[in-house]
Amino acid sequence: MNQDQARGNWDQIQGRAKKAWGELTDDDFKKAEGSVDKLYGVIQEKFGDTKEAIQKKLDTLHLK
């Protein structure tokens, strides 16, 4: 995976997360530092969702 592909994947995840948890801010994404695992932690901290619930919710949102 090249840098453009990785950035595209991160952008898709950000879009899905923003759609699912509308209260997420750009600062929340900065805290995640481009890491999906860190983003899960930010969402868990802010909303109390489990990692499994977060993954399931993101997987159900198909942005294309």
Side-chain angles (χ1 to χ4, degrees):
M1 177 182 294
N2 68 35
Q3 189 174 7
D4 289 335
Q5 289 171 318
R7 181 68 193 167
N9 286 343
W10 177 247
D11 289 343
Q12 285 183 352
I13 291 168
Q14 277 186 282
R16 289 178 182 168
K18 284 180 183 179
K19 188 173 182 179
W21 297 275
E23 296 174 28
L24 287 174
T25 65
D26 289 338
D27 286 342
D28 292 326
F29 290 105
K30 286 180 186 175
K31 285 181 195 174
E33 301 171 351
S35 166
V36 174
D37 287 330
K38 287 182 182 180
L39 179 59
Y40 289 162
V42 170
I43 294 170
Q44 284 176 317
E45 184 179 299
K46 194 164 187 170
F47 299 98
D49 295 350
T50 65
K51 183 175 180 178
E52 293 78 19
I54 294 166
Q55 288 174 324
K56 186 175 180 179
K57 197 168 192 176
L58 291 175
D59 287 344
T60 62
L61 297 171
H62 300 286
L63 299 178
K64 290 189 181 191

